[in-house]
Amino acid sequence: QVQLVESGGGSVQSGGSLRLSCAASRIDLKYDKMGWFRQAPGKEREGLSCISVDGTILYADSVKGRFAISRDNVENTMYLQMNSLKPEDTAVYYCAGDVGVYGSTCTFSSGEYQHWGQGTQVTVFS
């Protein structure tokens, strides 16, 4: 059974940084499209960043220039480096993955990802 396990969440002051990890098992990240999503209380799940099989990366406007997605194919782990955090970044953060196609760009449509982690809480206080 595919497992995605997030870690690295926590509480940080506004302007600070956190690095989220998504460790994958029974799934090979280099053959999968992967994404980071978040959901704040009372809000819809929001796609933040994704990485395609060919390495193409997308960012949502809300995090562009502040967050960076990366993938370590040896460790089979995906990361989200989050800098210049703001209180509005407070949410539960999820990683997601599914089989990808080389040359097909990932999207922020949550319905296109079959596998999801349990989520990790990020709280940014001012």
Side-chain angles (χ1 to χ4, degrees):
Q1 185 176 355
V2 173
Q3 274 195 319
L4 300 176
V5 180
E6 301 99 336
S7 61
S11 295
V12 63
Q13 194 168 19
S14 181
S17 299
L18 285 173
R19 188 194 196 202
L20 304 183
S21 299
C22 174
S25 59
R26 296 186 177 89
I27 187 174
D28 197 330
L29 294 194
K30 61 180 176 286
Y31 299 123
D32 284 51
K33 58 186 177 185
M34 300 294 296
W36 284 100
F37 294 76
R38 69 185 177 191
Q39 188 164 20
K43 294 188 176 182
E44 292 187 357
R45 187 168 294 184
E46 174 189 12
L48 304 176
S49 182
C50 67
I51 183 165
S52 310
V53 175
D54 64 3
T56 300
I57 289 172
L58 298 180
Y59 292 103
D61 288 343
S62 58
V63 303
K64 196 174 295 182
R66 301 189 298 125
F67 291 10
I69 192 172
S70 61
R71 180 179 65 198
D72 185 326
N73 291 339
V74 173
E75 296 293 328
N76 214 35
T77 300
M78 180 177 65
Y79 301 96
L80 186 68
Q81 177 67 43
M82 305 187 296
N83 299 324
S84 301
L85 283 162
K86 307 173 183 179
E88 51 263 44
D89 293 318
T90 295
V92 178
Y93 284 66
Y94 300 89
C95 65
D98 207 340
V99 175
V101 177
Y102 193 91
S104 177
T105 302
C106 58
T107 74
F108 295 147
S109 175
S110 58
E112 293 191 8
Y113 297 86
Q114 180 180 3
H115 308 296
W116 291 81
Q118 81 288 353
T120 185
Q121 176 70 45
V122 171
T123 302
V124 185
F125 56 92
S126 55

